[in-house]
Amino acid sequence: MYLYDEIDQKLVDERVVQFRDQTRRFLAGKLSDDEFRALRLRNGLYIQRYAPMLRIAIPYGLLSTKQLRRLAYIARKYDRGYGHFSTRQNLQLNWPKLPQAPDILAELATVQMHAIQTSGNSFRNITTDHFAGVAQDEIVDSFVWCEIIRQWSTFHPEFSYLPRKFKFAVNGAKSDRAAVAVHDIGLHALRDEKGEVGFRVLVGGGLGRTPAIGFVIREFLSWRHLLTYIEAILRVYNRYGRRDNINKARIQILVKERGPEKFREEVDAEWAHLKDGPATLVPEEIVRIESRFTRPSYLRLPATDAGLEAALASERAFANWHKRNVHPHKKAGYSAVTLSLKKTGVPPGDVTVEQMEKIADLADRYSFGELRVSHEQNLIFADVQLSDLYSLWQEVRELGFATPNVGLLTNIICCPGGDFCSLANAKSIPVAEAIQQRFDDLDYLHDIGEIDLNISGCMNACGHHHVGHIGILGVDKSGEEWYQIEVGGNQGEVRPGRGASLGKIIGPSFARAEVPDVIEKLIECYLARRDSDAERFIDVVHRIGVEPFKESVYGNADQRAAHRRGQLASA
Amino acid sequence: MATLIKERRIVADSWHLLERGPKGELPEVPVRGEVIVPLALWLARREELLSRVGTGTLGVWLDASEGPEALAGDVQRFPLIAVNFPKFGDGRGYSIARLLRERYGFKGELRAIGDVLHDHLFFMEQCGFDAFALREDQDAQEALSVFGTFSEGYQTSVLRPVPLFRRRLGASKS
Ligand code: HEM
Ligand code: SF4
């Protein structure tokens, strides 16, 4: 956990004072709706379908149990007793009242939290790998770099009114678990031949209505130049990004309109002025930030545990959970554990305050009082002793968070959709639930193997549907809710050799009731064609293309033509 | 007439802002008084206006889509440069101001004009503006309090050219 120093704390406190004054002036009629909107969005307040929605930042997904308890307290006192963990590692409350928002921010500030820049056209909360600091394939601890960028981006005076929102992800391990290629800027940590840390810098990725994979603007940027280089990118974007059309205002459009090469030249020209200037990072600052992170005091433990082995051998349900929800750790004798928030019948990512409090108790007892939020909307205990896994499993199961489905079909990423969101074309939560119900046979799920299924209720893509191996998108057809299916998306190089890709739409959309059938057909198509169970759904799509999947759903080209003729004849 | 805040005080404004006409035509430049002319006018009549600049009675204003590049070597001649904010959410002016101060070494009055609102003054000042022609409906007295909003800042800015992390290190060394 990064611990604030006096200045960090003071800035967050001053933010509360500022927002209290802004809210006061708004309620007194001194600020127009439009003017206040820009200000409240910078504090995470949307006006939603039923009430304002407050998006609380969980910087890079890292949370202490003290903070989680405070979140529970807030959700109980100011909201309806639950919160929603989002794909951007934030927590959303769906029912707070505007006049109380400053009080909520003040409560957050007491535990070193805030809602700064969680919406609006600003530099947003930075996301990263949920296994940062514990992954076996670690290159650097990405939390440290995230914190450095968090500070740099917080209240940046020059970049507070960007053309559009700006999303930043950092990955510090060999596997990309942060989806860096679909962010406005993504960093992938590397070491050069001398062992010096640097970053591959990607720019112009994003989801939303015009999804794009980021392009590599720099193959290796030394860590020293990190801030000056980002500053150069942001300055070019701030000056030349489009402001005439909100749908063309993301940096990806600027990159496209300029062309990647030209864009790189412009950034380099700007950087030439900033490089080696005062914002150049120094080793002492990295050490200072590192040393403000509390670290677990690990015990020296053997790499295996006899009790664990025995439990795995004797109890199948535990073994299933272990296979899916327990992950390797860089320290011998420890592992990381995912608490699945994807139980059938519960909106993905939703947690009640009672659950938050119980989770906090468990994290205190089993994982050094810390936890993480993953962009797959699950919670992670990063540092659990092998000998504790069995008893942790029993307790987590009691809470309903032991669904052994991490990486599997029912671990669906899903946005709030039409149940909560005023921008939605269609509901998404009931679709997730119907699919989870269809695939409730665990053996079958495990047999299908690793697959990402993502659902968004509209083209804003909050549910990452473009990068699901199967993506589902809610669309509006003359006032009715329909669903378009995509196949072949991939969030990034989670496995070596299979980089980020965007899904392709397989054909005309479906009514909600048809969706589980369609998914089943796609899965059957995959199972019939895979070489072995090591070949994942996405690997098969890449090997044989989308056409066989299309056929499995709509029939072959002749059948489709016949069907169309039939439709025309009956019309 | 808009209220002017300059160097954190409410002051009377002696400058006259010249705008293009309804069809985009360039304005006439009155012979007397302190005037701020659009960039295009300056570029079109630079030679004849040079002497006026020399007397300290001619400033220039840039729109958000324009940049200090267009003034280049002339920047330091001006007693005043204004930057227009067409809409408060349009953040281009912040970059323009920093460039004028940091790259082009502009020392004169740097004035924010247009949709200039209370809640934006703090960042504007950090970026190098020292004068603010507030939008007419703004309460200037109340706005004066805004400059103390944040007592620190992490980044480099015109007011704090050395970033916080270097100042922290300096403090811990001494
Ligand atoms: C319910 C209130 C919400 C509203 C009004 C909302 C609004 C939006 C809008 C308008 C966009 C598109 C922006 C663009 O295309 O430039 C967007 C994108 C996105 N939102 Fe949301 N959102 C909401 C909730 C959420 C939630 C709950 C999550 C996480 C589960 C989320 C995560 C994202 C992500 C990951 C993107 C795509 C990022 C990208 O475009 O690159 N949003 N949201
Ligand atoms: S994808 Fe659309 S429906 Fe879903 S939360 Fe985002 S804006 Fe709302």
Side-chain angles (χ1 to χ4, degrees):
Chain A
M1 203 62 224
Y2 174 82
L3 299 180
Y4 282 8
D5 73 0
E6 274 169 38
I7 296 173
D8 300 323
Q9 182 68 51
K10 202 157 176 218
L11 288 170
V12 169
D13 292 340
E14 287 168 347
R15 175 61 148 201
V16 177
V17 174
Q18 180 193 39
F19 188 62
R20 204 180 281 290
D21 182 56
Q22 290 167 343
T23 307
R24 177 187 64 77
R25 284 185 287 120
F26 172 67
L27 295 174
K30 290 190 179 181
L31 277 170
S32 72
D33 282 348
D34 207 28
E35 288 157 17
F36 184 59
R37 184 171 170 276
L39 304 173
R40 66 171 161 75
L41 284 177
R42 277 165 177 71
N43 291 286
L45 266 173
Y46 277 85
I47 303 294
Q48 263 317 293
R49 186 149 281 194
Y50 301 109
M53 174 199 87
L54 178 64
R55 184 180 290 155
I56 297 166
I58 302 175
Y60 34 92
L62 184 61
L63 202 56
S64 73
T65 51
K66 186 175 168 196
Q67 293 174 326
L68 182 58
R69 288 196 182 91
R70 182 55 56 117
L71 293 174
Y73 169 85
I74 289 170
R76 180 178 283 128
K77 180 165 173 190
Y78 298 97
D79 207 296
R80 297 201 182 163
Y82 67 94
H84 174 83
F85 287 105
S86 86
T87 50
R88 301 211 69 260
Q89 304 179 314
N90 294 311
L91 181 80
Q92 297 192 174
L93 300 178
N94 285 312
W95 317 92
K97 296 187 183 57
L98 175 62
Q100 294 183 327
D103 295 335
I104 301 180
L105 297 187
E107 302 264 17
L108 290 171
T110 64
V111 290
Q112 309 192 345
M113 293 188 83
H114 56 76
I116 295 165
Q117 292 165 209
T118 53
S119 42
N121 298 333
S122 58
F123 197 107
R124 304 289 190 86
N125 186 28
I126 297 154
T127 54
T128 192
D129 174 12
H130 43 276
F131 296 136
V134 304
Q136 282 184 336
D137 62 344
E138 168 174 306
I139 297 166
V140 298
D141 180 347
S142 52
F143 284 156
V144 172
W145 300 97
C146 287
E147 177 58 26
I148 288 170
I149 302 162
R150 182 193 76 83
Q151 297 191 5
W152 174 83
S153 63
T154 298
F155 309 142
H156 197 301
E158 183 179 348
F159 305 132
S160 287
Y161 289 87
L162 294 170
R164 198 75 179 86
K165 60 161 110 175
F166 205 87
K167 300 188 175 180
F168 201 109
V170 183
N171 190 61
K174 286 208 185 82
S175 289
D176 173 11
R177 284 177 291 260
V180 294
V182 289
H183 286 78
D184 295 284
I185 293 183
L187 298 182
H188 193 105
L190 304 166
R191 282 182 194 271
D192 67 7
E193 52 302 342
K194 289 184 242 97
E196 269 262 308
V197 171
F199 300 92
R200 180 184 300 134
V201 184
L202 287 87
V203 67
L207 300 172
R209 67 177 70 216
T210 49
I213 301 292
F215 94 99
V216 178
I217 187 168
R218 227 177 163 81
E219 203 43 71
F220 186 88
L221 176 73
S222 161
W223 63 270
R224 289 167 202 278
H225 302 309
L226 185 56
L227 298 185
T228 55
Y229 193 71
I230 310 173
E231 185 134 341
I233 297 178
L234 266 291
R235 183 170 285 166
V236 170
Y237 173 52
N238 191 43
R239 292 192 69 192
Y240 304 114
R242 287 182 59 173
R243 292 175 188 264
D244 59 328
N245 178 342
I246 185 173
N247 294 323
K248 296 196 166 64
R250 295 285 291 268
I251 195 172
Q252 69 207 39
I253 303 291
L254 179 65
V255 170
K256 250 182 231 133
E257 288 183 353
R258 291 285 211 270
E261 287 313 317
K262 178 76 184 23
F263 182 79
R264 177 187 290 132
E265 280 169 30
E266 268 179 84
V267 169
D268 282 345
E270 186 57 43
W271 189 40
H273 295 281
L274 302 171
K275 189 167 179 272
D276 300 317
T280 306
L281 283 166
V282 292
E284 294 91 323
E285 170 65 357
I286 313 303
V287 172
R288 189 188 73 85
I289 298 279
E290 265 171 355
S291 66
R292 296 204 68 80
F293 274 89
T294 57
R295 300 286 170 185
S297 31
Y298 293 116
L299 303 173
R300 288 178 69 99
L301 296 172
T304 56
D305 181 81
L308 171 64
E309 299 305 325
L312 285 173
S314 64
E315 203 159 336
R316 179 130 185 278
F318 176 59
N320 276 338
W321 177 77
H322 187 273
K323 183 169 167 200
R324 296 308 332 169
N325 297 22
V326 177
H327 319 277
H329 197 289
K330 69 180 185 187
K331 278 273 179 246
Y334 287 88
S335 30
V337 170
T338 301
L339 277 60
S340 168
L341 305 186
K342 308 299 176 63
K343 190 181 159 166
T344 303
V346 180
D350 273 15
V351 181
T352 67
V353 293
E354 291 76 22
Q355 288 171 327
M356 287 184 208
E357 281 160 354
K358 286 185 181 144
I359 291 168
D361 291 343
L362 289 180
D364 276 339
R365 278 163 43 223
Y366 288 99
S367 196
F368 299 97
E370 284 182 15
L371 65 157
R372 291 116 184 256
V373 182
S374 77
H375 81 272
E376 293 167 353
Q377 301 174 290
N378 289 316
L379 299 177
I380 314 286
F381 284 6
D383 304 285
V384 181
Q385 282 187 31
L386 296 184
S387 56
D388 283 343
L389 285 172
Y390 187 73
S391 59
L392 174 61
W393 171 64
Q394 289 179 309
E395 299 207 47
V396 170
R397 198 168 49 158
E398 199 116 312
L399 289 180
F401 295 141
T403 314
N405 62 353
V406 174
L408 302 182
L409 182 63
T410 55
N411 183 37
I412 296 170
I413 296 181
C414 179
C415 80
D419 291 299
F420 296 101
C421 175
S422 51
L423 305 179
N425 286 328
K427 293 191 179 183
S428 51
I429 292 171
V431 179
E433 190 176 340
I435 294 169
Q436 287 170 328
Q437 269 159 359
R438 176 67 59 92
F439 292 90
D440 68 344
D441 183 284
L442 251 191
D443 290 329
Y444 188 43
L445 265 187
H446 280 254
D447 184 39
I448 296 166
E450 286 183 23
I451 180 167
D452 296 339
L453 191 152
N454 300 350
I455 309 176
S456 304
C458 77
M459 66 288 183
N460 287 321
C462 303
H464 290 198
H465 67 277
H466 301 296
V467 291
H469 301 165
I470 298 176
I472 302 177
L473 166 65
V475 289
D476 177 278
K477 274 205 213 164
S478 37
E480 282 180 52
E481 301 188 357
W482 287 76
Y483 297 88
Q484 216 167 51
I485 313 286
E486 295 182 11
V487 159
N490 194 30
Q491 64 169 357
E493 205 161 348
V494 182
R495 296 273 192 87
R498 173 84 56 240
S501 57
L502 300 172
K504 291 199 177 68
I505 299 166
I506 60 170
S509 50
F510 298 94
R512 190 188 303 161
E514 297 172 303
V515 173
D517 286 338
V518 175
I519 304 303
E520 198 156 20
K521 285 179 187 153
L522 293 172
I523 295 296
E524 280 163 6
C525 171
Y526 152 68
L527 290 174
R529 282 156 206 265
R530 70 180 173 188
D531 286 338
S532 72
D533 52 9
E535 197 184 26
R536 298 171 304 162
F537 180 92
I538 184 69
D539 302 324
V540 173
V541 177
H542 280 261
R543 179 166 57 81
I544 67 178
V546 175
E547 192 54 34
F549 290 90
K550 251 188 211 172
E551 274 184 26
S552 75
V553 173
Y554 300 99
N556 64 31
D558 292 343
Q559 288 164 328
R560 279 178 292 194
H563 178 72
R564 271 196 301 276
R565 279 195 301 277
Q567 278 190 323
L568 283 177
S570 67
Chain B
M1 169 144 169
T3 316
L4 188 73
I5 294 181
K6 188 172 175 195
E7 289 162 359
R8 301 191 179 187
R9 284 205 309 274
I10 300 171
V11 298
D13 184 10
S14 53
W15 289 86
H16 189 63
L17 186 76
L18 300 182
E19 299 188 55
R20 283 173 181 261
K23 295 197 196 79
E25 66 275 21
L26 293 174
E28 287 303 313
V29 181
V31 272
R32 255 185 291 278
E34 295 165 306
V35 291
I36 312 172
V37 303
L39 173 68
L41 189 147
W42 165 257
L43 294 177
R45 295 171 52 189
R46 180 176 175 279
E47 293 310 315
E48 72 189 272
L49 292 174
L50 266 175
S51 59
R52 180 85 178 258
V53 175
T55 66
T57 58
L58 189 116
V60 65
W61 66 271
L62 303 176
D63 212 341
S65 59
E66 298 167 339
E69 293 83 358
L71 294 171
D74 290 333
V75 163
Q76 310 210 30
R77 296 175 193 270
F78 292 101
L80 182 153
I81 298 178
V83 177
N84 185 40
F85 287 78
K87 186 91 187 78
F88 63 84
D90 185 331
R92 288 175 288 185
Y94 298 92
S95 289
I96 296 170
R98 279 193 77 175
L99 289 171
L100 280 168
R101 290 289 194 213
E102 293 173 348
R103 192 158 303 162
Y104 294 88
F106 179 60
K107 299 280 191 314
E109 175 180 331
L110 185 53
R111 179 182 290 201
I113 59 173
D115 213 19
V116 178
L117 312 186
H118 178 116
D119 291 285
H120 304 257
L121 302 188
F122 181 86
F123 287 148
M124 286 178 176
E125 189 187 42
Q126 290 293 319
C127 289
F129 289 104
D130 56 357
F132 310 90
L134 289 176
R135 200 178 68 190
E136 280 173 34
D137 61 344
Q138 300 291 295
D139 180 337
Q141 201 59 44
E142 200 170 47
L144 288 178
S145 66
V146 84
F147 297 106
T149 303
F150 296 108
S151 53
E152 255 299 357
Y154 294 109
Q155 312 76 5
T156 54
S157 68
V158 172
L159 291 199
R160 300 190 184 97
V162 180
L164 178 58
F165 71 82
R166 282 185 192 263
R167 287 182 278 123
R168 270 174 170 141
L169 287 171
S172 67
K173 268 180 197 146
S174 58

